[in-house]
Amino acid sequence: MRDGKTLAALRARMAAGGLDEAPAWPLVGLGAEEAELPGGLASGALHELQPASPADIGAATGFALGLAARLLACRPGPLLWGVPAARGWREGRLYPVGLAAFGIDPDRVIQVEVKKTADLLWSLEEALDHPSLAVVVGLLPEGDRLYDFTASRRLAMRAARHGATALLLGAAPVFDMATAASTRWSIAAAASRPVPHAGQAVPGLGPPRWQARLVKSRKGLLDAWDLEWNHDTLSFRLAAPLADRAPLRRTGTLSRRPTAA
């Protein structure tokens, strides 16, 4: 019944000409780079994130944190992070030090842990109905089939009603059907660039990088980008291609130095 009232209110606003397209918030910190991206993501909408492979779940979760950080910089209010208590989603539990790397204040984060997918979807819907929230993120259990077009439409309508943005992260084949999401992304981990030290590039763990592929968009633009997190501007940037480097270790056997008899 409540869903019907929301739909009726949206139709009334559309008939009165008062329902404008939700504003987009930029992914990157430099306007020149934004021209090569899909113009940012629409706020007050539902966006889906899917790891390119089971091994990319961590990378997709990090990408979701980056998107949430960009939105928190543009809109006041807290972030709600909904995660199932299933063992397979331990990667989705937040760590304050990791949040700080994305510029997210842990005091702005509300974490909700549930046992069932139905409870997770219900929590996300209720959160989107609260006008003070900035962004809502939900992590779906692997292989779950409860999320469908109807569930996505309910989330999308609630996001449009108050302007909060919903990010839904799920492993394949959760997103193998038509949904009401504005965009759908396939995220894979990419090799980070070497860390500079004493004027030299030392192999190590640099800023996070992703291969982000836009596989669905209401604007019709489908493309792929190599993105890197910029810790200085707390935004994404287009990643420069990595140069070929000598291997860290030589392959083969090493001959022993002869010893004196």
Side-chain angles (χ1 to χ4, degrees):
M1 186 67 181
R2 190 175 183 180
D3 187 60
K5 291 182 179 180
T6 302
L7 183 58
L10 290 174
R11 286 174 175 172
R13 289 175 59 191
M14 292 176 63
L19 186 59
D20 300 327
E21 183 178 358
W25 42 279
L27 289 175
V28 298
L30 300 178
E33 290 182 341
E34 190 68 43
E36 302 185 40
L37 293 170
L41 292 187
S43 61
L46 171 65
H47 303 280
E48 297 170 343
L49 307 175
Q50 176 176 307
S53 71
D56 293 310
I57 291 179
T61 305
F63 190 78
L65 279 175
L67 294 180
R70 293 301 299 153
L71 184 58
L72 288 172
C74 302
R75 178 182 170 95
L79 155 69
L80 185 133
W81 187 270
V83 58
R87 179 179 180 182
W89 276 107
R90 286 183 177 176
E91 296 87 351
R93 291 173 183 165
L94 299 177
Y95 181 49
V97 176
L99 292 175
F102 286 96
I104 300 177
D105 184 356
D107 288 337
R108 294 185 68 182
V109 178
I110 303 171
Q111 180 164 307
V112 177
E113 187 171 307
V114 298
K115 295 182 179 180
K116 299 179 180 180
T117 305
D119 296 333
L120 174 63
L121 295 174
W122 178 86
S123 300
L124 299 180
E125 290 181 21
E126 292 297 313
L128 290 170
D129 264 339
H130 203 292
S132 65
L133 284 175
V135 58
V136 173
V137 182
L139 282 69
L140 293 172
E142 184 176 357
D144 188 85
R145 289 289 184 177
L146 190 59
Y147 176 74
D148 54 12
F149 180 81
T150 301
S152 69
R153 185 179 63 175
R154 292 170 64 92
L155 292 173
M157 288 194 306
R158 280 160 173 72
R161 183 178 184 180
H162 292 297
T165 303
L167 305 176
L168 207 58
L169 175 61
V174 173
F175 298 140
D176 61 352
M177 84 295 278
T179 64
S182 294
T183 62
R184 180 181 298 167
W185 296 77
S186 176
I187 306 299
S192 61
R193 57 185 170 89
V195 178
H197 179 70
Q200 296 182 349
V202 180
L205 187 60
R209 282 191 174 189
W210 303 270
Q211 293 177 348
R213 187 164 59 94
L214 187 58
V215 297
K216 172 192 172 182
S217 174
R218 288 187 175 180
K219 297 182 179 180
L221 174 63
L222 303 180
D223 207 336
W225 301 267
D226 289 336
L227 299 178
E228 180 180 79
W229 184 252
N230 189 334
H231 290 291
D232 296 325
T233 62
L234 298 179
S235 63
F236 295 99
R237 63 186 172 195
L238 296 176
L242 297 177
D244 293 333
R245 300 185 297 273
L248 297 179
R249 298 179 180 177
R250 292 184 178 180
T251 58
T253 58
L254 297 177
S255 59
R256 293 185 177 180
R257 182 178 298 178
T259 57

